[in-house]
Amino acid sequence: MRNDGASGAIHIFAPFGRDAESIASVLHASGLNTTIHDSLSRLGDALDDDVGAVVVTEEAVTKGAGALLEPLARQPSWSDIPFILLRSPRSQKRPLANPGLQLAINIIELDRPLGSSSLLSSVQSALRARDKQFLVRDQMQALADGRAALERSEAELRLVADAMPVLIAFIDRDLHYRFANKAYEAWFERPVVEVIGKRVPEVFGQDVWTSRRPLIERALAGEHIVFEANWPFSDGRRRDSEIRYSPRFNAEGAPDGFHVFVTDITASKLALETSQQHALDLEAMVAERTAELERQMAAREASEAALRQSQKMDAIGQLTGGIAHDFNNMLTGILSSLDIVRMRLEMGRMDGLERFLDAATASSQRAAALTQRLLAFSRRQSLDSRTVELNELVGSVQDLLRSTLGETIRIQMAISETPLRANLDSNQFESALLNLAINARDAMPDGGELQLRTLHVHVADGELPTIPAGEYAVVSVADSGTGMPPEVVERIFEPFFTTKPIGKGTGLGMSMIYGFMQQSGGHITVDSTPGQGTTVSLFMPVVHEVTEHDDAPSAPPVSLGAGQSILVVEDDEQVRMLVTVVLEDLGYIAEVVGDADGAIPILGSSKKIDLLITDVGLPGLNGRQLAEIARQSRPALPVLFMTGYAEKAQERSAFLDNGMAMIAKPFLLDAFSEAVRSSIAPRQ
């Protein structure tokens, strides 16, 4: 295919939306040169002999293509610029707005929507056809250079014509074949010599002659003719063809015969029929969704605002710097304390070691809390969502808030008379309320009033910029504090952004609440005015049907040292070592492997296993997949999951089956031992 930018450029006229840019992008990706036009007249001016193909949308020529007819009529006899018409999904049953356009040009119709591969395939097919025209042009030009050149080129032209998969012939005014290429042999399984010199009725029979006679007479009158016909293979297989009669004019300007060009278009016809069938299927789907899409258009501005806010959350550089700063401080407390303990042990000094161990533990717990906030912000924390009654939940935190906020803050409660139910992790929600209350307290250094409200709200389309239409249970926390200017409110959910003095906050509180609400399917708004206070509202979708959650029965205490067999699967070497030591100290028999591949043979053996403990995030098969495999041969095997970053374990209710439990990393050893006892207990 010619693709040098001089003779193979693709000209595009698609004036609506971003159609032209999208088409050009697909073609540029395959190394094709394109030119976009803003009007039909400019496109017509550009239609010269070097054009490779033209791509237009149906709506671009709905009002007619008169500006193209004159440039196309000026084309030399060898030229027939390919046009690719992208039809709209609803138009496959309608004719083109300008039938003259279809008769005047070489047009390939494609129904939208279509994939980039279909568009590219059609363009490449058109360019290949155009390249064949360029070959004919070059040969014709060579022939025009003189009789000597003509005599030298006749043999080459015959070779070129014979090599082309297109039927090429010339028929004179007496209907005799004066030229035919070898494609006639392949198509009709008869030597070319049996065609040359014979008349059309003798070659194709009386039936074909009767159907083609009107078209042939028009071609002999000087008219360019284009039509399609189905000429099947000799074995009956389908073969669609495009037939062109191109008049040849003598020196006096009168037609002395016509050229015949026949192209096999079976593949493109089949593709078009398949596309049309898909379009019919899509039309029904589009009709069903039209009403919904019209409603969504009204909320587009709100969606775009939410998208911009979400993009601001992706402050990777700031997040990385904040994490490094806080974790370095915590690691300093851990490493320094452990170094002091090791140094004193080497010196034989045992006094005061508890103080340094406590410092290391405190720093570790701070790091664990920071990690939990990061998981909340990134919406990757493991949630134990249940249907809760928000009025009761908010009422239950009154005492905690009063003891936390102090006597200078007056707490007012405005509880909805209507029961409000929502699906959420109650512990995480209480933590979010506590964070908001502490922020409110810090905004009222001289005291003030904190109001907690619960209410039932119906949000209409476009009513709130960042809240989709729907029915919500809302919990709002309002203070009478200093308030915030708009530029601060705009950044309030950014990680590590804080208005508090250095050392008074991590800047992750609001981003953690934002992440928790997003992960829970809810939304959050902030309304603040300097000097008049701040109101933060948490919107949760209302739940009307109450889902009962059966609490696991309390298990009787299990005596230690009974020798229960536990299979541990953990890829981290240090965690494997610590877990093994704890289990052996508790009196269990632990077998430890580093991944699922090492665990599967053990699970498939006859070895007794009382409990499977596995990390969720394993290399290769993850812990949940390993548990599924284990349950195939050991259906009653209890499983305890350990999770640090567990993207697939965000909703515990959906992640855990019967006989499964989960403990989050990092964990204290007494919590881990209790989780082990609870998991094994039902089998004892």
Side-chain angles (χ1 to χ4, degrees), residues 660-672:
M660 295 181 179
M662 181 183 292
I663 185 170
K665 297 177 183 177
F667 44 74
L668 298 177
L669 297 184
D670 56 350
F672 175 69

Side-chain angles (χ1 to χ4, degrees), residues 11 120 261 420 561 657 666:
H11 293 251
L120 182 60
F261 301 92
L420 298 177
D657 282 342

Side-chain angles (χ1 to χ4, degrees), residues 273-292:
E273 291 171 4
T274 301
S275 176
Q276 290 175 338
Q277 183 59 47
H278 290 167
L280 289 174
D281 297 339
L282 287 173
E283 185 176 9
M285 298 174 59
V286 170
E288 294 175 359
R289 297 197 59 189
T290 298
E292 178 186 354

Side-chain angles (χ1 to χ4, degrees), residues 284-319:
M285 298 174 59
V286 170
E288 294 175 359
R289 297 197 59 189
T290 298
E292 178 186 354
L293 291 175
E294 290 175 349
R295 291 193 299 270
Q296 292 177 353
M297 288 295 292
R300 174 169 292 181
E301 288 188 7
S303 300
E304 291 175 350
L307 177 61
R308 288 193 297 270
Q309 181 63 27
S310 177
Q311 289 171 338
K312 292 176 184 178
M313 298 299 97
D314 297 330
I316 302 300
Q318 184 179 10
L319 180 64

